[in-house]
Amino acid sequence: MAEKEKKEGEKPKKAEISVSGMSCATCALTIEKALKDLDGVSEAGVNLAAGRANIEYDPSAVDLPALEKAIEGAGYEVVDERVGIRVGGMTCAACVSTIEKALGGLEGVTGASVSLGAERAYVTYNPRMVGISEMKQAITDAGYQYLGLESESSDLVEEAHERDLKDRKRRIIIGFGVSLPMMAVMNLGLSLPSYTPYVMLAISAPVFLYLAWPIFLAAYRALRHATLNMDVMYSMGIGVAFTASVLGTFRIVLTPEFLLYDTAIMLAAFLTLGRYLEAKAKGRTSEAVKKLVGLRPETAVLLRDGQEVEVRLEEVVAGDLVVITPGASIPVDGIVMAGRSYVDESMITGEPLPVEKSEESLVVGGTLNGDGVIWVKATKVGRDSVLSQIIRLVEEAQGSKPPVQRIADTAVTYFIPVVLIIAAAAFSFWYLTGAGLLFSLTVLISVLVVACPCALGLATPTAVTVGVGRGAELGILVKSGEGLEATEKLTTVVFDKTGTLTKGTPEVVALSSSGMTESELLALAAGVEMNSGHPLGSAVVKRAAMEGVFPVTVSDVRAVRGKGVCAGFRGEEVCIGNRAMMEEAGVMIPDSTETEVAGHESEGRTTVIVAFRQEVTGIIAIADTLREGSVMAVQALSGMNLRTVMMTGDNARTAESVGREVGISEVFAGVLPQDKAGEVRKLQERGEVVAFVGDGINDAPALAMADLGIAIGSGTDVAVESGEFVLVHDDLRDAVAAVQLGRKVMGRIRQNLFWAFAYNAALIPVAAGLLYPFYGITFRPELAGLAMALSSVTVVSLSLMLRGYMPPVLAGGKEVRKMAIDPVCGMEVDEKTAKHVSEFRGEKYFFCAPGCKKAFDADPGKYLRGKG
């Protein structure tokens, strides 16, 4: 927030701050004491019931942020609001500073951050002390346009943007249409009539005023707020050129050789051209957010009193039953109450395969329904929906500033005063050394117009805006600019095991049988485990369903805690469990079975023994399997020279087995969730810069402690509080992609800053006449204007190149897969991961679900007619 000016003798002010976390009168007294200990606080009272602190303070001694910091320091939370405001009319980093100062000066505003690239102001404020109307007034008083809140429809913003582009286009055409012929006439060496200067004045005056008026107006507003910006410098440059021309026309002090009408008009046209191109380019930096907003349908079809009614999306409330027809965009987050379909969730999760949805399945707003009709009960609407959360996270991240931005901010603070000094010094030097007044004025004007703080101001925000948007398209949500910068310094990546490297749910990974087939063994085990409710039993039932095996019907089910379960089948007893269960049931375990069980256990698998008629009939090995992409992710990180570590609360044998399987040699086992943050701190104390990858639930302390937290979202919960990155999809390759994306964005920011600094460092001395004594080269103001216009466009264009960036770990990965069409339902299937395959007449056919495969196998000809 901009530093507030404090004046001695100001009247005491009152603040009302909402506080959460209070539970008793002692809490109120603690907060009152913390506030009263501050210099400048005369009164402090806390209303426990209302959850508010009322304070009277001297604004010359203490400000609102200090009051809130005192409350937070006492261990309580201040409840403020945050709003994103669209701002028009910004042209350079000085504009950012002006708006931040104007908003930060409002009593009740505790933080204001302005993004030049996203054209947004993000304000944290106390709603009981200041409102949106005051912020709007502050923005307009500073000379900029208030274009509404982020949450409002962007139609007005788009219209204003288009009007602005059309207006600038007209000015550019008129400017060059007048200045180019004038320049040609003045440089052809023709003998011109004596009244020519007056004709040129008559032609150029209205054009100059039309072109330069917005520039002079912006400069006036900046000076009125004691701010130096690009408009001030440019106004001085074109103002000097036009004023000298008028004085030369009427021979007041100057002679007719000082006719620079064409120069003045062309400089104004070049500035307008630069800002036109810049505005068009900046309009493309937030295309990712526009695409996300475009996923949200405007209407929804509700089922009310047995009738289908189409309503605006804003009218849908939680609990409404929404009808989703084939091919329609799903308007809300909800639960499928009836129907079956396949839903394309790639726009939210990045997963290319359609996902089957049936009763009790969760659906996400903005995704695309397939070929079936489903009835969905709305659970989250409006701001609470996943899509709205993603849009909000992306927009807030685009408005954040990585620490590297401080370099540009600091440079811009001194940039314009230094340029003004250089311009004045160059003019004085050439004039005093006898180069002549005309040459000295040309140098002055060239220096003023060639200097460009805009490029410095745009270098970081445009790259962050495009990079964060590209991340959203890949299912990688960046929560702050600090996270991007942290990716460059990483030395170690720590993974949680359960739910991160592994799926977090047990699966059958191996089974063997004796005396019956594997299908019979699975049917028997599934029948016994159907109603056990144990996770291991659920894994057996799930495997049977995947294999298309129907569980047998059993009776007298009896669970023995910690050992297993028994049941009756065909008058005989079936027992499933561990060795203790077998011993209790009187079953002898053969040596071959013992050897096989021990082998599985050495690999960290849980093994259950199945006995029927007092004999072992098979074993089933169950384990928490690796997530897809885990091995590739670890290999990719190792290839980037990053150390990988695994932390888990699991036992050492299981942990080391998973570590070997995934390729991580450094394993910390037996670490409880609450102790993981301490282990991360120990790594940091050894000089490591640590990223922690976890599921965002029990790993929150470790995610917060790490230098970079990467939280795996659940697909429907993207607003994970801890961590700087949130992965919408549960593919661990995205964790690597997040690091690669962050490094790419930071590399582009450094490249932008290099060109911005190099441009100014090279051209300002040339404009000041550095080459004139050696080569007789004069840098004309018109060329300076062109160079200035191109510098900003270059920086924005470099940032826009990030729109097509694909992290190396994903190139040829999940986004580039060979797809086939399921001949039964017509859905796209990923050949690489499809488990349901049939061969017919020498060709392979891929299916998205077992049901499609069974239908095809029953009658292939039905689905292949027309294919020959």
Side-chain angles (χ1 to χ4, degrees), residues 468-488:
V468 168
R470 180 56 179 153
E473 292 173 348
L474 295 170
I476 301 165
L477 302 182
V478 183
K479 293 178 67 179
S480 70
E482 288 82 357
L484 293 170
E485 190 154 343
T487 58
E488 287 197 305

Side-chain angles (χ1 to χ4, degrees), residues 184-198:
V185 169
M186 295 186 69
N187 288 279
L188 285 176
L190 300 175
S191 179
L192 300 175
S194 59
Y195 55 80
T196 300
Y198 302 101

Side-chain angles (χ1 to χ4, degrees), residues 127 141 185 248 323 329 391 469 475 533 560 570 580 595 636 638 691 751 779 848 861:
D141 285 349
V185 169
V323 183
S329 181
I391 292 170
V560 181
R570 293 179 182 174
T595 302
S638 298
Q751 188 179 8
F779 200 60
C848 59

Side-chain angles (χ1 to χ4, degrees), residues 165 168-169 172 271-281:
L165 287 177
R168 287 181 180 178
K169 193 173 183 180
I172 292 165
L271 178 65
T272 309
L273 173 64
R275 289 185 175 171
Y276 172 81
L277 295 173
E278 187 183 304
K280 287 202 74 170

Side-chain angles (χ1 to χ4, degrees), residues 170-475:
R170 276 195 304 270
R171 294 176 191 272
I172 292 165
I173 293 170
I174 293 171
F176 286 116
V178 172
S179 62
L180 287 173
M182 289 179 68
M183 182 172 287
V185 169
M186 295 186 69
N187 288 279
L188 285 176
L190 300 175
S191 179
L192 300 175
S194 59
Y195 55 80
T196 300
Y198 302 101
V199 174
M200 296 186 74
L201 173 60
I203 293 172
S204 62
V207 176
F208 179 75
L209 289 173
Y210 174 64
L211 269 175
W213 176 249
I215 303 169
F216 284 125
L217 185 61
Y220 165 72
R221 287 170 173 165
L223 291 173
R224 196 181 69 183
H225 287 86
T227 302
L228 290 174
N229 64 7
M230 187 68 194
D231 294 291
V232 173
M233 288 203 305
Y234 227 85
S235 295
M236 292 173 66
I238 61 177
V240 167
F242 194 81
T243 303
S245 302
V246 173
L247 294 175
T249 298
F250 294 102
R251 290 178 169 80
I252 303 173
V253 181
L254 302 178
T255 61
E257 67 174 340
F258 288 89
L259 295 185
L260 302 171
Y261 290 119
D262 56 334
T263 299
I265 295 173
M266 189 170 283
L267 286 177
F270 270 129
L271 178 65
T272 309
L273 173 64
R275 289 185 175 171
Y276 172 81
L277 295 173
E278 187 183 304
K280 287 202 74 170
K282 280 199 295 184
R284 295 199 296 272
T285 59
S286 293
E287 279 187 1
V289 172
K290 293 174 186 174
K291 288 179 184 176
L292 289 171
V293 173
L295 295 176
R296 188 188 292 138
E298 295 182 358
T299 61
V301 177
L302 304 184
L303 192 65
R304 288 179 176 170
D305 300 324
Q307 300 293 318
E308 292 185 3
V309 182
E310 187 172 9
V311 301
R312 290 189 59 78
L313 186 60
E314 293 78 14
E315 298 176 37
V316 180
V317 297
D320 279 342
L321 193 62
V322 185
V323 183
I324 317 293
T325 54
S329 181
I330 298 175
V332 296
D333 295 359
I335 302 172
V336 177
M337 305 304 291
R340 182 184 294 271
S341 185
Y342 281 84
V343 175
D344 180 1
E345 297 183 336
S346 59
M347 60 285 294
I348 300 294
T349 65
E351 173 57 49
L353 287 178
V355 181
E356 184 179 11
K357 301 293 182 181
S358 56
E359 196 170 326
E360 299 299 321
S361 297
L362 298 175
V363 293
V364 179
T367 55
L368 192 64
N369 187 27
D371 60 346
V373 180
I374 51 177
W375 287 263
V376 174
K377 179 181 178 182
T379 55
K380 292 181 180 179
V381 296
R383 288 176 56 84
D384 296 327
S385 69
V386 168
L387 184 59
S388 293
Q389 290 179 44
I390 290 175
I391 292 170
R392 192 159 58 248
L393 276 178
V394 171
E395 289 182 330
E396 288 181 1
Q398 288 178 338
S400 67
K401 294 181 180 180
V404 72
Q405 174 68 15
R406 295 181 197 134
I407 299 172
D409 289 344
T410 303
V412 168
T413 302
Y414 300 102
F415 184 85
I416 296 176
V418 168
V419 170
L420 291 176
I421 292 170
I422 291 172
F427 172 83
S428 302
F429 173 80
W430 291 115
Y431 184 70
L432 294 174
T433 54
L437 182 58
L438 179 60
F439 180 81
S440 303
L441 278 175
T442 302
V443 167
L444 173 69
I445 296 166
S446 296
V447 172
L448 289 173
V449 300
V450 80
C452 187
C454 305
L456 288 170
L458 289 168
T460 299
T462 53
V464 169
T465 298
V466 179
V468 168
R470 180 56 179 153
E473 292 173 348
L474 295 170

